[in-house]
Amino acid sequence: MELIFKFIEVFLSTIVDVMPIAIIIFATQYLIIRRRLANLKQVLFGFVLVILGMAFFLVGLEEALFPLGEVMAKQLTDPAFLGVDNLVENIQWENYLWVYIFAAAIGFATTLAEPALLAVAIKAQNVSGGTVSIWGLRTSVAIGVGLGISLGTFRIVTGTPLHYYIIAGYVIVIIQTLFAPKSIIALAYDSGGVTTSTVTVPLVAALGIGLAGTVPGRSELIDGFGLIAFASLFPMITVMGYAQIGHWRAKKDLQRQELKMKKASDSKNR
Amino acid sequence: MVTDYIKQIFILLFSGFKDLLPIIIVVAFFQFIVLQQPIPNLANILVGLFMVSIGLTLFIKGLEIGLFPVGENLAYDFARKGSVFWLIVFAFALGFGTTIAEPALIAIADKAAFLAAKDNVISATDSAQQAYAAGLRYTVAISVGFAIVIGVIRIIRGWPIQYIIIGGYICVVVITFFAPKEIIGIAYDSGGVTTSTITVPLVTALGVGLASSIRGRNPMIDGFGLIALASLTPMMFVMLYGIFI
């Protein structure tokens, strides 16, 4: 029963969230473009599905994942579990190994369930004619988020300034941009912003704030932030890497084929 | 027509579940093997997971028949009508309108206001904090609107995305050195937070639609990039907000 009330509440608030977008779209369509939508019924049904889907999704997350994820983040960052003394002099980053592993695993797994990323991946597969596959993009983005969040927890433990990491990451992105296939660049940049929405942000925020609260000498307010920035930066690196590897492979295959053909024609000539 | 959808939805349900499998594995591994604890309220969690996979499935179906076609339609119509002025107005409204009500942004703005009050940047009264948080939200929303406008102009003109983004990064780095220390983390996070689950598909459909209907533009090279811009400008604007207020 409680679940049904919660669902209705979330459903209504989702409608409120979608409203401004719907108003802007339909006002533009009917007042500025002045053309009727050919398949209005289907589109409206689609909007209903989107809102319903979001509501189910959010309630399910709140019911299942978030409480458990928060408890796990708290337990894993607990000094007693990690076997560390709660003293400033005693922070050794190696003691937090399970935290880094958990951060990487949960970042990877939640990204695969991120609906916005799935949407972009579907579009990218259609537009690229299959060169960029849905699963290829999602996996490489998920690896990026996992790496990023893991490094972000390391930063919280060691207390090094956030902007050193971010600036170093930018430098890597810029260098990769020079070498990456041109067609992937825009998509790679986009995949940074896409990753962090409904599923990842709450869990990651819980992890960051939990960790900053238990590591001695860290402030929840200053050090707890910044994990999301890591999660938006690293996918750019991994997606460009993914495209680069695909590019090299295709090139090698081509070379190998040329070599084979050359050999075949050589033996024929002989 | 409707029964067709229902049939498809059942097939899709399975793929929705597949997307959740990694989370289930990770959670089970850490709970049983690392933490060595039982899972509390298993029934609740199973119901929740089921709801998540239904939600994911309905959402994707809705995108395919609703949000994607609408975004593309608008893009085609704008390209055919050739009204750049209205396209820019629309782009700004879309960026601003979807960001101002974003729950994640509201949460971040409130935290930032709390921080500012703690550091005596603003007086520690409720009204001062609310004004600070509201100002921050408007700043971010305007910056996202501005980003979508720039992105749309870029698609029309065919400017390469990397120069804009790299130029933006350099600005972010330069501003970082002048920004108050407490705002940096929040500013960097606000970039990732602004692009919500509904905005992303819509903006992507718009960009790809525009790039495919304007001659000489390649949807792969020119169509993407709007979201990247929308994640970049808030970082700059939030830090500037921290500097000037």
Side-chain angles (χ1 to χ4, degrees):
Chain A
M1 206 54 209
E2 212 182 303
L3 200 64
I4 296 169
F5 280 129
K6 204 179 203 174
F7 181 79
I8 293 169
E9 197 190 310
V10 173
F11 181 66
L12 292 178
S13 78
T14 311
I15 293 179
V16 173
D17 285 350
V18 176
M19 237 357 150
I21 303 172
I23 291 172
I24 292 168
I25 288 174
F26 288 106
T28 310
Q29 185 74 42
Y30 286 98
L31 299 178
I32 297 169
I33 306 261
R34 287 169 200 268
R35 208 164 66 94
R36 272 161 195 259
L37 274 171
N39 37 9
L40 182 64
K41 256 193 199 157
Q42 193 195 319
V43 165
L44 286 179
F45 185 56
F47 268 82
V48 172
L49 285 186
V50 164
I51 294 172
L52 258 180
M54 288 273 290
F56 267 113
F57 191 72
L58 292 173
V59 173
L61 284 179
E62 272 172 36
E63 204 57 35
L65 224 53
F66 292 162
L68 190 61
E70 275 163 30
V71 170
M72 288 175 77
K74 216 177 265 168
Q75 285 172 340
L76 279 168
T77 53
D78 188 0
F81 167 76
L82 294 164
V84 288
D85 287 331
N86 222 353
L87 290 170
V88 180
E89 309 89 69
N90 270 354
I91 313 175
Q92 270 170 331
W93 64 268
E94 305 92 26
N95 291 337
Y96 289 85
L97 198 60
W98 276 122
V99 175
Y100 313 140
I101 297 172
F102 178 71
I106 205 77
F108 178 83
T110 52
T111 304
L112 286 181
E114 202 62 85
L117 174 60
L118 183 52
V120 170
I122 291 171
K123 263 267 135 38
Q125 188 180 36
N126 288 346
V127 169
S128 72
T131 340
V132 176
S133 72
I134 294 183
W135 274 99
L137 187 68
R138 287 171 81 191
T139 321
S140 45
V141 171
I143 291 173
V145 174
L147 277 178
I149 294 178
S150 188
L151 194 64
T153 52
F154 173 77
R155 180 197 78 82
I156 294 178
V157 170
T158 54
T160 30
L162 169 67
H163 54 271
Y164 290 177
Y165 289 85
I166 300 294
I167 292 169
Y170 283 168
V171 172
I172 296 174
V173 168
I174 292 172
I175 294 171
Q176 274 186 304
T177 304
L178 298 176
F179 297 102
K182 225 178 162 189
S183 58
I184 199 74
I185 292 173
L187 181 63
Y189 288 171
D190 266 4
S191 54
V194 160
T195 50
T196 42
S197 52
T198 12
V199 199
T200 318
V201 169
L203 278 182
V204 165
L207 187 66
I209 288 169
L211 192 59
T214 51
V215 177
R218 302 287 163 270
S219 129
E220 281 178 38
L221 286 161
I222 296 180
D223 297 302
F225 287 101
L227 277 184
I228 296 165
F230 275 93
S232 333
L233 177 63
F234 276 74
M236 296 194 232
I237 297 174
T238 49
V239 169
M240 279 197 270
Y242 160 71
Q244 192 77 63
I245 290 168
H247 194 66
W248 280 335
R249 268 210 191 138
K251 227 180 183 174
K252 246 186 198 163
D253 278 354
L254 207 71
Q255 279 174 348
R256 210 174 292 150
Q257 265 174 3
E258 275 172 4
L259 212 69
K260 238 187 218 166
M261 287 209 308
K262 214 176 160 196
K263 263 186 192 162
S265 65
D266 279 356
S267 58
K268 227 183 244 168
N269 286 345
R270 237 179 266 156
Chain B
M1 195 173 84
V2 176
T3 48
D4 256 6
Y5 285 139
I6 291 169
K7 209 188 267 172
Q8 279 180 323
I9 280 166
F10 267 103
I11 298 167
L12 280 169
L13 253 183
F14 176 72
S15 77
F17 177 74
K18 213 171 59 186
D19 293 333
L20 287 178
L21 208 58
I23 298 185
I24 298 173
I25 293 171
V26 169
V27 166
F29 174 78
F30 276 89
Q31 195 73 1
F32 293 134
I33 296 175
V34 180
L35 293 167
Q36 300 193 333
Q37 266 162 27
I39 291 193
N41 317 326
L42 190 62
N44 265 22
I45 286 169
L46 288 179
V47 171
L49 284 176
F50 184 63
M51 288 180 86
V52 171
S53 55
I54 292 180
L56 208 55
T57 308
L58 293 180
F59 178 79
I60 294 300
K61 197 70 217 157
L63 279 190
E64 278 168 359
I65 64 172
L67 251 56
F68 277 164
V70 159
E72 271 159 29
N73 248 334
L74 274 174
Y76 290 134
D77 286 343
F78 270 125
R80 218 194 38 209
K81 265 195 145 183
S83 164
V84 176
F85 172 76
W86 282 113
L87 177 57
I88 285 173
V89 171
F90 170 73
F92 186 83
L94 191 66
F96 183 88
T98 55
T99 310
I100 194 74
E102 174 66 33
L105 175 63
I106 295 173
I108 276 214
D110 288 345
K111 273 191 193 134
F114 178 74
L115 259 182
K118 210 178 156 204
D119 286 351
N120 299 321
V121 179
I122 54 172
S123 59
T125 56
D126 269 357
S127 63
Q129 278 189 34
Q130 265 163 25
Y132 185 89
L136 194 62
R137 271 172 62 199
Y138 277 101
T139 309
V140 173
I142 289 171
S143 75
V144 174
F146 177 70
I148 306 283
V149 169
I150 299 277
V152 162
I153 296 175
R154 172 193 91 81
I155 294 173
I156 298 173
R157 292 288 161 106
W159 295 333
I161 181 86
Q162 55 268 40
Y163 298 132
I164 303 176
I165 297 286
I166 291 174
Y169 282 165
I170 293 169
C171 285
V172 167
V173 170
V174 170
I175 298 171
T176 302
F177 288 107
F178 300 99
K181 208 180 159 207
E182 303 75 20
I183 202 103
I184 294 175
I186 295 170
Y188 283 9
D189 271 1
S190 69
V193 150
T194 49
T195 40
S196 78
T197 312
I198 293 173
T199 322
V200 166
L202 204 59
V203 164
T204 306
L206 179 76
V208 169
L210 270 179
S212 1
S213 48
I214 297 173
R215 192 173 298 160
R217 297 287 164 271
N218 175 332
M220 205 53 204
I221 295 175
D222 303 299
F224 293 96
L226 288 176
I227 294 160
L229 281 165
S231 331
L232 177 68
T233 52
M235 293 198 251
M236 289 191 237
F237 279 58
V238 169
M239 283 194 283
L240 289 174
Y241 187 78
I243 292 172
F244 289 113
I245 292 186

